[in-house]
């Protein structure tokens, strides 16, 4: 809540007086010369309700000051900011507070823990897969290099064996018989 102007700030305090049977408990004050930050606990117990009804709400009030007259040294509040945390508001309502502390927070703790466990397992598995992928890549590269060497040997041997086969065939043709296979599996001998 943000309020500007002296009259409006007085109206805010009038509302707080109507809502609080007792003064708020001031937990801490920090003043920096032109700004004061007040940590307090409001004891909300409206006068219209039975006095058994109390809500203790932690709040932070920031007061901004300016001098009333130049070089007078007198400061006046010209702006007030009040803020409350959601957790503080939830904690101030008894049944909601119990439900929040014992159900919601416990459940959220378990959900976050399970999520963390799942993410950790996924990260470990991804790391294993990365290492395994790198290993497979290294083995594949080594095999490719080895096969390239063997291919070069085979290619050289193939060319040499081809030429040797041609020479042997020519030599066998000189003065020897040649068998030709015709369709129908009939063999014809030629001299």
């Amino acid at each position: 809540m943000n309020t500007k102007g002296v009259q409006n700030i007085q109206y805010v305090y009038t509302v707080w007086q109507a809502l609080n049977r007792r003064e708020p408990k001031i937990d801490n004050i920090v003043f920096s010369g032109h700004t004061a930050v007040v940590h307090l606990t409001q004891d909300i117990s409206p006068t219209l309700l039975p006095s058994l009804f109390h809500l203790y709400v932690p709040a932070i009030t920031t007061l901004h000051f300016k001098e009333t007259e130049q070089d007078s040294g007198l400061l006046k509040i010209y702006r007030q900011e009040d803020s409350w945390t959601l957790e503080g508001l939830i904690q101030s309502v008894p049944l909601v507070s119990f439900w929040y502390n014992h159900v919601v927070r416990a459940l959220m703790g378990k959900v976050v823990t399970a999520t963390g466990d799942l993410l950790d397992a996924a990260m470990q598995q991804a790391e294993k897969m990365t290492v395994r992928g790198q290993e497979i890549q290294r083995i594949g590269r080594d095999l490719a290099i080895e096969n390239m060497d063997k291919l070069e040997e085979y290619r050289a041997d193939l060319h040499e064996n081809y030429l040797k086969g041609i020479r042997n065939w020519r030599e066998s043709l000189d003065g020897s018989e040649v068998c030709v296979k015709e369709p129908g599996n009939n063999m014809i001998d030629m001299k």
Side-chain angles (χ1 to χ4, degrees), residues 36-151:
V37 179
V38 182
H39 293 263
L40 51 95
T41 303
Q42 295 280 1
D43 179 6
I44 298 176
S45 178
T47 54
L48 300 173
L49 297 176
S51 62
L52 298 174
F53 179 78
H54 286 275
L55 295 178
Y56 298 98
V57 180
I60 299 172
T61 298
T62 305
L63 304 170
H64 298 275
F65 297 90
K66 67 179 176 183
E67 283 188 81
T68 54
E69 295 177 18
Q70 185 126 10
D71 297 326
S72 69
L74 297 173
L75 299 175
K76 177 166 75 171
I77 300 172
Y78 74 93
R79 191 171 89 200
Q80 175 179 336
E81 298 169 8
D82 291 310
S83 59
W84 307 269
T85 63
L86 180 60
E87 183 174 10
L89 293 172
I90 289 172
Q91 294 289 351
S92 67
V93 181
L95 292 176
V96 175
S97 172
F98 178 83
W99 180 78
Y100 175 74
N101 285 329
H102 293 89
V103 176
V104 173
R105 290 181 72 174
L107 184 63
M108 287 304 296
K110 289 181 182 190
V111 167
V112 170
T113 301
T115 303
D117 184 38
L118 182 64
L119 287 175
D120 184 54
M123 289 172 61
Q124 287 179 5
Q125 191 62 31
E127 186 177 331
K128 286 178 185 177
M129 290 172 63
T130 300
V131 169
R132 186 66 180 145
Q134 290 171 345
E135 186 178 314
I136 289 169
Q137 186 178 12
R138 183 188 52 78
I139 290 169
R141 186 183 65 241
D142 292 348
L143 281 173
I145 290 170
E146 183 181 322
N147 286 336
M148 285 176 58
D149 294 341
K150 287 181 181 179
L151 183 61

Side-chain angles (χ1 to χ4, degrees), residues 1-2 13 15 26 28 38 44 53 70 89 93 101 109 116 125-126 131 134 147 158 161-162 170 172 182:
M1 179 172 63
N2 197 356
Y13 280 108
V15 170
I26 296 176
N28 188 19
V38 182
I44 298 176
F53 179 78
Q70 185 126 10
L89 293 172
V93 181
N101 285 329
Q125 191 62 31
V131 169
Q134 290 171 345
N147 286 336
L158 181 66
N161 288 337
Y162 175 75
R170 282 188 182 161
S172 70
E182 290 185 4

